[in-house]
Amino acid sequence: MKNTLTELFIKHLEDYEWSKNIFFTKEDDEYIPVNSSQLTGQIVSTIKFLKELCLKEGDRVAIISENRVEWAVADFACMFLKLISIPVYTSLSNSQIKYILENSGAGVCFVSNSSLLSKVLDIKDELTFLDKVIVFGNSAKEKYESGYVKFYSDIINKYSGVNKEEAMAYLKNLSSVISGDDILTIIYTSGTMGVPKGVVLTHANIYSNVIACQKVLTINENDTFLSYLPYSHAYERTAGYYLALFSGARIYYAQSIDTIAKQLTEISPTIVITVPRLLDKIYNKLLKSGEDMKDGLQKKIYLWAMEAARDKNVKINSMKWKIADRLVYKKIRQKTGNKIRFFVSGGGSLNKSTGEFFDKIGIMILEGYGMTETSPVISVNDPVKNKYGTVGKPLNGVNIKLSGENEILISGKLIMTGYYKDDEATRETIIDGWLHTGDIGEIDPEGYLKITDRKKSLMKTSGGKYVSPVHIEEILMNLRYIENVMVIGNERMYITALIVPDKRELQSYADKNKISHASYDELLKNKFLLKLIQKDIDKLQNDLSGYERVRRFTLLENPMSIETGELTPTMKIKRKFVEEKYNNEVENMYLKI
């Protein structure tokens, strides 16, 4: 084996039936499957089209699309032609898309629909390299048909009719000249600070990660994935796409994050790759459901069971747990389709108590750790010995050590070759073969890794005290009416916070405390409400040092989102952007009383 993903794909075609259904897309109320034969035919057709464009080895091809079968087709077509794929988030602004297309030098771009096509056409005259756009959907076909714009359906129709033997021979011939050292993709990190950097990953980088993950997560053809995180992110691309596909699992596409609850019961997935934010939402919704019930026996039983799930003294399989399981937990599992083996949580820190709560109700959460620069999985908990509060043990072939400052350093085949066109940043990140993650951690006696802080996110107050904003934010997020929070205090006299409330929860909180208000804007300024919130915050801060405690806060009316720029596509807060956007609100919190 040359450690390439093209070899893994060919092996998949050899190991499973040509008629095996792989991807499922919901259209209206029906899930439309795509099998190995259909997928391979589309890949071969797309390869032949791309060859006609006279692209050279190493040329860049962008993919701006939500998760769909065509994303995978374009991806594999690029692989077999030794073209470098450039995934781009659909939520990015025109200027952000322009930067990635121009910085990468992409000459061809796949887009999923007319809206994204319009984004690209709006910046067409500012792009030096792009000379062909291929659209997956047909809604704009009559309007945009031209030499510059092509439509995927025409490509597939033109080159249809390849049989299995021909396709396999064709793909094997192309794969024979591909090596593990060949660049597979350049993934631009969304970043919470500054301009995104292009992470250069080879076949061998991602191949090693997929193989290592397979040794911890025993996935096979009986498994079903529900995919909702974007393929543009290395986490879902490796774990929810390549790992699932090459392990023989089925992949169902979520229509949106809002349809996940319904699709869980329709699909009955066994594995969901997720971020903590979704789990936090489910957790809060479960707690809220009890409070919304009408007074009566059912409500009392539900609240009793929820309390038992949070009580560390109540052990699984104890009599109390068995009763709670029969009356409540079993019904909750049914709402997930009742076949979940585990959720894999990454892309952010999972609250330990949230993980333990889900475990208590019979839903396992495996927390892992990684970054784009490591292809991306560094460690993940083993289903056989899951340890909440940690991100598991390092994958096979991954070496971890801690610096003198306890920064986590990584080496192994999963490490990127570097940042595209940025040698300086590469030298700063990879030193003597060790990638400096920027995360602070510790390794317990059993070898489990725990992330304790983010080195770059540490703030230093004007009094010279170092403060971890992430730690404080995790504490404040225990308040149910807080949707997002960002702690501020670098070079400041004391700590403050910008808080985006959960509108529904805050209004419910106000009603319980008999706080009348004519509008939501008026509620956010209500002095009595603000005092109550400060009291709630103070209760949570008992274990914090005086210099770590939030002294003032501001409630923000508008939610943070990817579209408005406050959040990265993996829902992390862009600290610099938010602090600049709300500069006036921040400065007001530091005005003398």
Side-chain angles (χ1 to χ4, degrees):
M1 292 287 283
K2 296 180 181 179
N3 298 349
T4 67
L5 296 197
T6 53
E7 284 183 308
L8 286 178
F9 182 73
I10 289 170
K11 185 176 186 301
H12 176 273
L13 296 179
E14 292 174 335
D15 288 348
Y16 299 100
E17 292 293 327
W18 196 237
S19 59
K20 175 181 171 59
N21 290 328
I22 303 171
F23 297 108
F24 296 79
T25 305
K26 190 175 184 181
E27 296 179 9
D28 297 323
D29 292 324
E30 184 180 1
Y31 285 94
I32 309 300
V34 168
N35 61 29
S36 294
S37 173
Q38 293 167 317
L39 178 66
T40 307
Q42 291 184 45
I43 290 171
V44 171
S45 296
T46 305
I47 289 172
K48 291 182 176 180
F49 169 77
L50 291 174
K51 287 184 76 171
E52 281 191 356
L53 299 182
C54 299
L55 296 170
K56 305 184 299 298
E57 177 184 329
D59 281 350
R60 278 76 63 205
V61 176
I63 306 173
I64 313 176
S65 169
E66 68 286 347
N67 296 3
R68 55 192 293 163
V69 176
E70 294 88 344
W71 205 110
V73 171
D75 183 33
F76 278 110
C78 288
M79 281 188 215
F80 279 102
L81 285 178
K82 300 179 78 170
L83 303 174
I84 301 170
S85 60
I86 313 292
V88 182
Y89 291 101
T90 59
S91 57
L92 297 184
S93 66
N94 287 18
S95 62
Q96 291 169 319
I97 291 173
K98 174 194 166 186
Y99 175 83
I100 293 174
L101 294 181
E102 194 68 1
N103 184 261
S104 67
V108 175
C109 178
F110 287 89
V111 298
S112 60
N113 53 46
S114 57
S115 174
L116 291 169
L117 173 61
S118 295
K119 278 190 173 186
V120 174
L121 293 179
D122 285 344
I123 57 175
K124 172 186 174 183
D125 295 338
E126 303 173 60
L127 299 173
T128 309
F129 308 99
L130 191 68
D131 58 24
K132 194 73 64 181
V133 182
I134 299 117
V135 188
F136 293 146
N138 284 323
S139 60
K141 193 168 183 179
E142 292 183 5
K143 182 178 179 182
Y144 288 110
E145 186 68 60
S146 68
Y148 187 78
V149 179
K150 295 294 181 184
F151 285 83
Y152 183 78
S153 57
D154 293 337
I155 296 169
I156 301 308
N157 292 334
K158 182 178 179 180
Y159 298 102
S160 61
V162 181
N163 64 40
K164 180 177 181 179
E165 290 71 24
E166 291 174 342
M168 290 293 285
Y170 186 68
L171 294 179
K172 284 183 178 180
N173 182 55
L174 291 173
S175 182
S176 67
V177 296
I178 300 171
S179 76
D181 293 332
D182 287 329
I183 297 173
L184 177 89
T185 187
I186 301 174
I187 302 176
Y188 282 79
T189 57
S190 51
T192 56
M193 300 286 284
V195 176
K197 296 191 289 286
V199 176
V200 181
L201 298 174
T202 65
H203 277 265
N205 289 150
I206 298 179
Y207 175 95
S208 70
N209 211 234
V210 170
I211 299 302
C213 285
Q214 285 179 325
K215 292 180 179 179
V216 181
L217 308 175
T218 53
I219 301 165
N220 57 44
E221 64 271 20
N222 296 317
D223 281 306
T224 299
F225 281 63
L226 174 59
S227 174
Y228 82 93
L229 295 174
Y231 283 169
S232 304
H233 192 266
Y235 174 37
E236 179 71 18
R237 187 172 175 181
T238 294
Y241 164 24
Y242 296 143
L243 175 62
L245 175 65
F246 298 141
S247 299
R250 297 172 295 275
I251 301 171
Y252 283 75
Y253 291 124
Q255 292 173 298
S256 73
I257 194 168
D258 297 323
T259 65
I260 289 176
K262 182 180 180 183
Q263 290 187 269
L264 282 170
T265 58
E266 293 174 343
I267 297 166
S268 295
T270 58
I271 299 170
V272 179
I273 305 299
T274 188
V275 291
R277 184 177 176 83
L278 176 66
L279 298 172
D280 286 335
K281 281 181 172 292
I282 296 173
Y283 173 70
N284 288 327
K285 187 173 181 179
L286 288 173
L287 297 183
K288 177 67 176 174
S289 295
E291 294 181 2
D292 289 343
M293 290 180 181
K294 293 181 179 179
D295 288 332
L297 181 60
Q298 184 181 15
K299 180 174 183 175
K300 289 179 180 178
I301 292 172
Y302 187 90
L303 292 177
W304 168 80
M306 289 296 99
E307 187 58 37
R310 291 183 290 177
D311 187 346
K312 290 180 172 55
N313 294 319
V314 177
K315 304 301 180 184
I316 293 176
N317 288 325
S318 66
M319 183 57 69
K320 187 173 184 178
W321 180 89
K322 288 179 179 178
I323 295 171
D325 184 61
R326 188 180 305 115
L327 297 177
V328 178
Y329 306 157
K330 182 179 179 181
K331 295 177 182 178
I332 293 174
R333 292 196 299 274
Q334 288 172 346
K335 292 181 180 179
T336 69
N338 213 29
K339 290 186 179 180
I340 288 287
R341 290 176 56 209
F342 46 76
F343 284 86
V344 182
S345 178
S349 177
L350 174 69
N351 189 298
K352 183 182 179 183
S353 60
T354 301
E356 291 173 337
F357 170 86
F358 278 105
D359 197 66
K360 191 70 72 71
I361 66 174
I363 298 174
M364 181 180 288
I365 312 294
L366 301 177
E367 187 175 10
Y369 166 63
M371 55 195 302
T372 307
E373 290 86 343
T374 57
S375 307
V377 186
I378 293 170
S379 65
V380 67
N381 269 282
D382 190 322
V384 177
K385 193 174 182 184
N386 188 17
K387 196 169 185 179
Y388 291 103
T390 78
V391 292
K393 295 181 179 180
L395 294 179
N396 185 50
V398 178
N399 304 307
I400 293 183
K401 68 178 182 180
L402 302 180
S403 72
E405 298 175 318
N406 288 326
E407 180 181 2
I408 300 167
L409 310 183
I410 309 294
S411 72
K413 292 180 180 178
L414 73 171
I415 301 300
M416 67 172 181
T417 62
Y419 293 114
Y420 189 59
K421 294 181 180 178
D422 199 338
D423 292 339
E424 183 179 353
T426 301
R427 286 192 296 270
E428 291 174 352
T429 305
I430 304 176
I431 303 171
D432 296 328
W434 290 88
L435 184 139
H436 291 237
T437 65
D439 290 318
I440 305 299
E442 59 186 41
I443 300 172
D444 73 12
E446 293 183 283
Y448 286 77
L449 178 65
K450 183 178 182 181
I451 312 300
T452 57
D453 215 330
R454 178 74 183 159
K455 182 179 179 182
K456 293 180 181 178
S457 74
L458 287 177
M459 301 186 306
K460 189 177 183 181
T461 68
S462 58
K465 299 290 187 180
Y466 283 97
V467 175
S468 167
V470 174
H471 178 56
I472 300 169
E473 288 160 1
E474 287 178 351
I475 290 173
L476 298 188
M477 284 297 291
N478 283 302
L479 294 174
R480 202 176 305 167
Y481 51 74
I482 292 183
E483 174 77 17
N484 278 114
V485 57
M486 190 181 96
V487 166
I488 295 162
N490 196 49
E491 301 299 332
R492 304 278 192 172
M493 291 181 64
Y494 50 86
I495 304 301
T496 61
L498 293 172
I499 294 174
V500 177
D502 180 309
K503 188 174 181 178
R504 181 178 170 225
E505 291 287 350
L506 189 68
Q507 288 175 327
S508 175
Y509 182 75
D511 292 341
K512 286 180 182 178
N513 287 282
K514 298 181 171 55
I515 301 173
S516 60
H517 54 282
S519 66
Y520 185 60
D521 179 62
E522 180 182 302
L523 176 62
L524 296 180
K525 298 172 184 176
N526 185 282
K527 291 183 179 180
F528 181 60
L529 174 70
L530 297 177
K531 286 181 180 179
L532 286 177
I533 292 175
Q534 186 65 60
K535 285 183 179 180
D536 289 343
I537 291 174
D538 289 340
K539 288 177 184 177
L540 294 175
Q541 298 185 125
N542 281 336
D543 294 331
L544 294 179
S545 300
Y547 62 84
E548 293 179 296
R549 296 179 183 178
V550 173
R551 296 266 299 278
R552 292 185 184 178
F553 65 89
T554 297
L555 299 181
L556 303 178
E557 182 175 2
N558 297 319
M560 294 183 185
S561 71
I562 299 168
E563 291 72 21
T564 52
E566 295 93 351
L567 302 179
T568 71
T570 51
M571 313 304 285
K572 295 175 184 174
I573 296 175
K574 295 181 180 179
R575 295 183 180 276
K576 183 179 179 182
F577 179 90
V578 172
E579 191 162 355
E580 289 176 352
K581 180 174 181 177
Y582 293 103
N583 180 65
N584 289 338
E585 287 83 354
V586 171
E587 293 303 325
N588 284 338
M589 289 190 287
Y590 291 98
L591 291 176
K592 291 183 179 179
I593 300 174

